């Protein structure tokens, strides 16, 4: 349930509502908007009786949140979430590009790549130290040695580091060394890992499960937020279909659908979703045109020798071209928003009317 306070509600009236929620054993999530404060009640399994709350001073109305994802949805928080680390942002005014190698293979390979990423003005570097591989015989990553190289990338180039945690032990280490913890597609419904990520004090980049519905994706993000970590970035990385011309099928329509349902930033990975270098740039252009808040891209100094995902890694010159192209497209998308939307990023929001957040893409529940 959502308790909407009157625009002149005092801090002590807000606290009284929070205390009342806690006294019945539930959690309160307070969101201070420009005009009013909204308090979400989280953790109930059954519908809550609004009467003990509706009569409290300062309460304007009590609304039921009908969506199963309470913290992820726009009912509770209408403003977009922006992830900020120093100057680097995801979900803000500028499109974020997270680029780097699939796997950290060596210091030389990583530094050569990081130099190019920094030169193109990107602020985020990706690289796997722990790799979730289909075959147990494939290269599994350099583990801590890889994390140390990533840490050196941050020190040398000022890039912010995104790296994947494949399990809870890896997450402890990634939390120590990285800026953003990635949860991969194969772990999107690893609920104990999601809970652990929710206890981390670093933002989490959650990749969509390759066979997951939109609702399952948003509920996976809810797992992280329910533990108290509100810094979540969603990533579309392609889903399994009957198409066999690419590794996966990029589901670009999920980008505007998510932007209507959730305040979380949604980025797009054209590399893993296609698996083929020739297809990465066209899909990157399309993802930005669809309104993605950023891209996650694999590049490599010598893709033909890469130990992981070489066929999808862009050569450096391809990457430089891609950056120019997607920046030009991003400007057009922004101009469109400015001329059609009243508010900043208007076509990513469900508008200012609360009832609008209840229409739009519906998720089919598959329990
Ligand atoms: C990756 O980003 O390196 C990765 C393994 O991606 P995914 O989990 O989407 O396959
Ligand atoms: Mn990869």
């Amino acid at each position: 349930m959502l308790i909407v306070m009157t625009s002149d509600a005092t801090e002590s009236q807000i606290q009284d509502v929070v205390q009342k929620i806690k006294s019945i054993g539930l959690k309160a999530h307070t969101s201070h908007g420009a005009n009013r404060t909204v308090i979400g009640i989280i953790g109930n399994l059954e519908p809550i009786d609004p009467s003990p709350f509706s009569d409290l001073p300062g309460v304007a109305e009590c609304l039921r949140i009908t969506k199963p994802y309470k913290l992820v949805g726009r009912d509770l928080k209408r403003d977009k979430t922006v992830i900020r680390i120093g100057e680097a942002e995801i979900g803000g005014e500028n499109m974020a590009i997270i680029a780097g190698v699939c796997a950290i293979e060596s210091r030389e390979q990583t530094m050569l790549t990081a130099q190019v990423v920094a030169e193109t003005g990107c602020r985020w570097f990706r690289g796997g130290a722990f790799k979730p591989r289909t075959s147990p015989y494939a290269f599994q990553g350099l583990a801590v040695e890889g994390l140390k190289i990533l840490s050196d990338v941050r020190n040398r180039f000022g890039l912010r580091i995104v790296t994947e945690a494949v399990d809870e032990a890896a997450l402890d280490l990634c939390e120590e060394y990285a800026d953003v913890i990635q949860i991969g597609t194969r772990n999107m419904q690893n609920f104990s890992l999601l809970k652990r990520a929710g206890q981390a004090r670093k933002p989490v980049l959650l990749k969509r499960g390759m066979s997951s519905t939109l609702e399952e994706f948003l509920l996976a993000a809810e797992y992280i937020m329910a533990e108290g970590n509100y810094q979540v970035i969603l990533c579309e990385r392609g889903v399994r279909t009957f198409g066999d011309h690419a590794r996966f099928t990029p589901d670009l329509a999920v980008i505007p659908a998510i932007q209507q349902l959730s305040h979380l930033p949604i980025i797009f990975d054209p590399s893993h979703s296609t698996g083929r270098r020739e297809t990465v740039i066209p899909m990157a252009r399309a993802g930005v045109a669809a309104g993605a808040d950023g891209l996650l891209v694999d590049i490599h100094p010598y893709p033909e020798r890469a130990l992981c995902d070489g066929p999808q890694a862009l050569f450096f010159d391809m990457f430089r071209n891609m950056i120019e192209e997607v920046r030009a497209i991003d400007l057009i998308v922004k101009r469109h928003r400015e001329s059609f939307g009243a508010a900043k990023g208007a076509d990513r929001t469900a508008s200012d009317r609360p009832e609008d957040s209840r229409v739009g893409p519906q998720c089919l529940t598959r329990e």
Side-chain angles (χ1 to χ4, degrees):
M1 194 165 63
L2 208 56
I3 299 178
V4 183
M5 303 300 289
T6 56
S7 54
D8 58 356
T10 64
E11 189 50 40
S12 88
Q13 289 171 338
I14 294 169
Q15 284 317 315
D16 286 347
V17 174
V18 169
Q19 283 315 319
K20 182 113 196 148
I21 295 169
K22 288 186 179 160
S23 73
I24 55 169
L26 295 170
K27 281 191 199 162
H29 174 88
T30 308
S31 173
H32 299 282
N35 303 315
R36 54 187 192 155
T37 294
V38 171
I39 305 165
I41 304 183
I42 313 295
N44 53 301
L45 298 173
E46 301 290 325
I48 296 170
D49 172 15
S51 50
F53 298 98
S54 46
D55 293 339
L56 289 178
V59 172
E61 58 180 329
C62 299
L63 304 169
R64 279 195 60 202
I65 307 180
T66 48
K67 306 242 168 45
Y69 38 87
K70 317 281 181 206
L71 296 166
V72 164
R74 280 199 184 266
D75 286 348
L76 193 51
K77 180 174 185 289
R78 254 175 269 148
D79 303 335
K80 240 186 112 72
T81 291
V82 181
I83 308 297
R84 276 194 196 88
I85 303 178
E87 309 242 288
E89 270 188 10
I90 303 176
E93 268 304 282
N94 297 311
M95 171 188 55
I97 295 184
I98 306 171
V101 289
C102 178
I104 307 293
E105 298 166 16
S106 70
R107 181 169 292 275
E108 189 230 5
Q109 167 245 19
T110 309
M111 291 298 165
L112 284 172
T113 308
Q115 171 121 24
V116 172
V117 173
E119 277 166 10
T120 50
C122 301
R123 297 186 185 279
W124 303 89
F125 188 77
R126 61 149 289 145
F130 299 94
K131 294 305 304 176
R133 303 304 300 274
T134 302
S135 164
Y137 308 116
F139 176 61
Q140 305 282 313
L142 297 181
V144 181
E145 194 189 330
L147 292 176
K148 288 185 178 156
I149 297 174
L150 283 170
S151 213
D152 293 345
V153 164
R154 180 179 35 231
N155 294 340
R156 185 155 151 201
F157 299 102
L159 294 166
R160 298 296 173 170
I161 304 301
V162 180
T163 198
E164 177 166 355
V166 288
D167 54 29
E168 278 138 277
L171 202 146
D172 291 345
L173 290 162
C174 294
E175 190 178 13
E176 191 181 330
Y177 286 93
D179 296 300
V180 173
I181 301 159
Q182 179 174 317
I183 305 280
T185 191
R186 293 160 186 83
N187 268 320
M188 192 208 80
Q189 285 194 322
N190 179 340
F191 300 116
S192 55
L193 188 62
L194 295 175
K195 285 184 186 170
R196 171 64 188 88
Q199 288 147 15
R201 282 180 302 276
K202 299 261 166 97
V204 177
L205 191 158
L206 178 66
K207 298 189 93 175
R208 179 181 178 186
M210 61 181 84
S211 308
S212 79
T213 62
L214 173 51
E215 183 168 285
E216 286 161 349
F217 190 18
L218 296 178
L219 281 170
E222 185 82 10
Y223 260 91
I224 300 170
M225 296 184 76
E227 292 294 319
N229 188 349
Y230 300 137
Q231 305 269 94
V232 180
I233 305 141
L234 303 170
C235 178
E236 162 59 27
R237 52 79 68 213
V239 290
R240 278 259 155 91
T241 66
F242 49 80
D244 57 2
H245 52 281
R247 200 173 168 194
F248 295 94
T249 300
D251 177 14
L252 294 178
V254 88
I255 295 169
I258 285 177
Q259 285 167 340
Q260 196 162 358
L261 292 171
S262 174
H263 52 85
L264 295 175
I266 164 83
I267 67 166
F268 173 56
D269 174 349
S271 306
H272 291 84
S273 59
T274 65
R276 290 173 53 218
R277 166 176 322 116
E278 309 72 51
T279 322
V280 168
I281 297 183
M283 286 297 101
R285 292 192 211 113
V288 174
D293 292 297
L295 297 173
L296 183 80
V297 188
D298 276 5
I299 61 178
H300 199 287
Y302 334 103
E304 63 289 353
R305 280 197 260 145
L307 296 180
C308 185
D309 287 351
Q312 72 193 29
L314 297 181
F315 292 99
F316 290 166
D317 57 342
M318 292 175 87
F319 173 64
R320 290 190 190 96
N321 290 340
M322 185 206 82
I323 295 281
E324 273 185 38
E325 292 180 9
V326 295
R327 283 192 179 137
I329 293 168
D330 188 46
L331 282 182
I332 296 170
V333 174
K334 266 196 205 119
R335 230 176 287 145
H336 163 86
R337 271 189 205 126
E338 272 155 26
S339 48
F340 285 90
K344 224 170 17 177
D347 66 1
R348 356 174 131 183
T349 68
S351 105
D352 247 5
R353 284 171 290 133
E355 64 270 25
D356 274 14
S357 59
R358 292 193 209 119
V359 296
Q362 296 297 316
C363 292
L364 298 172
T365 308
R366 286 176 212 170
E367 303 270 332

